[in-house]
Amino acid sequence: MADWLQFKLPEFTEYNESNVSVPISEMLQDINKFRHLWETQKANDIDGRLEQNRTNFEQHLKYRFIQHINTGEGVGTQHESDTAEVLKQQDVNTPQMSTEKTVTKNIGKAYDYLRNHLESNPRNTQDENEPFPKYSKLQLSGIIEQDYAIKGTHNILMLGLLSNGGKYSIGDKKTTRPDGSCYEYCKFYSEQEIEREVQDLIDELNGMIEK
């Protein structure tokens, strides 16, 4: 597993304390073990019942994941029942939706947008020793690019929330911190300047990941 990842992972992190948590290497081994178990069971799934259960479970994970985002960021719907209700109808054009529901709906669309991009670029491999044969190492490495991962996702997240649809904007920008103080963003004079600055950050991040 470590050879496939091509970088060294810590066994424990700040949020994964050694006295209460399983080592990360053991987690990865379990993931690989359960993937092989799933592939075996799926091959014997004659009536399609297992595949339907998987679809239902993935939908449940999506709802829980987005609920954690909403709760952690203090945005969107704050109750699981409300979040599930919105996400079940995220592709329905509902006029006059509250800001909270719009935020949740957009996060659901962004989730699908990124996942569909990942799944539309599979790697053809028959190597059973690959931990994640469906995806390429580039897709799983965390490498990102500006147009799709940043701009495309942000446009979806801001649908119906910002007048410019989430595009880069220039001029003086400020916001209010939770303590009531004012925070002023960096000032840019052109969209091209913003793109260069964002690309510099992306290049730095990608460079760190590739090391």
Side-chain angles (χ1 to χ4, degrees):
M1 180 70 73
D3 292 339
W4 186 86
L5 290 174
Q6 295 185 335
F7 62 89
K8 186 176 181 180
L9 279 172
E11 286 291 4
F12 301 97
T13 63
E14 293 180 1
Y15 57 86
N16 179 31
E17 298 176 0
S18 59
N19 62 330
V20 295
S21 300
V22 176
I24 290 178
S25 61
E26 187 174 331
M27 293 181 189
L28 293 174
Q29 290 171 2
D30 284 343
I31 291 172
N32 194 30
K33 179 180 70 176
F34 289 126
R35 185 192 69 80
H36 283 295
L37 178 61
W38 163 254
E39 293 296 337
T40 300
Q41 292 181 342
K42 187 171 66 172
N44 298 319
D45 183 30
I46 299 175
D47 59 4
R49 197 171 296 176
L50 185 65
E51 183 66 23
Q52 182 59 48
N53 288 339
R54 181 190 69 84
T55 301
N56 293 340
F57 182 64
E58 286 187 350
Q59 185 181 60
H60 173 72
L61 287 180
K62 173 185 173 180
Y63 292 177
R64 291 295 303 274
F65 175 72
I66 294 175
Q67 182 61 54
H68 279 298
I69 292 176
N70 289 354
T71 303
E73 296 293 328
V75 300
T77 48
Q78 294 297 301
H79 299 285
E80 288 190 19
S81 58
D82 294 334
T83 298
E85 178 185 355
V86 172
L87 294 176
K88 286 177 182 177
Q89 302 185 44
Q90 72 174 42
D91 295 322
V92 177
N93 185 16
T94 306
Q96 298 181 338
M97 181 178 284
S98 68
T99 300
E100 290 77 14
K101 290 185 176 182
T102 300
V103 168
T104 297
K105 179 178 180 178
N106 290 353
I107 295 175
K109 285 180 172 291
Y111 176 98
D112 292 343
Y113 169 80
L114 291 172
R115 177 163 183 167
N116 290 339
H117 176 65
L118 189 66
E119 294 187 344
S120 66
N121 295 280
R123 174 176 53 169
N124 295 321
T125 176
Q126 301 298 321
D127 186 355
E128 286 299 318
N129 294 319
E130 287 283 8
F132 307 94
K134 187 175 182 180
Y135 306 124
S136 69
K137 290 181 180 179
L138 177 61
Q139 290 170 310
L140 292 170
S141 67
I143 300 297
I144 62 176
E145 51 79 41
Q146 184 166 182
D147 286 340
Y148 198 95
I150 303 297
K151 297 170 72 174
T153 305
H154 193 253
N155 288 345
I156 295 174
L157 291 171
M158 294 298 107
L159 285 172
L161 298 173
L162 292 181
S163 58
N164 71 347
K167 297 179 180 179
Y168 292 148
S169 57
I170 60 177
D172 295 317
K173 302 294 176 182
K174 61 183 67 175
T175 188
T176 303
R177 294 189 177 98
D179 63 4
S181 61
C182 179
Y183 174 79
E184 295 188 10
Y185 292 98
C186 297
K187 185 174 182 178
F188 296 100
Y189 297 93
S190 70
E191 184 174 336
Q192 291 73 25
E193 183 183 3
I194 299 175
E195 289 182 345
R196 286 195 300 271
E197 292 290 339
V198 172
Q199 191 60 53
D200 286 344
L201 291 173
I202 291 174
D203 290 343
E204 183 174 349
L205 174 63
N206 287 343
M208 293 169 61
I209 293 173
E210 288 179 320
K211 288 180 180 180

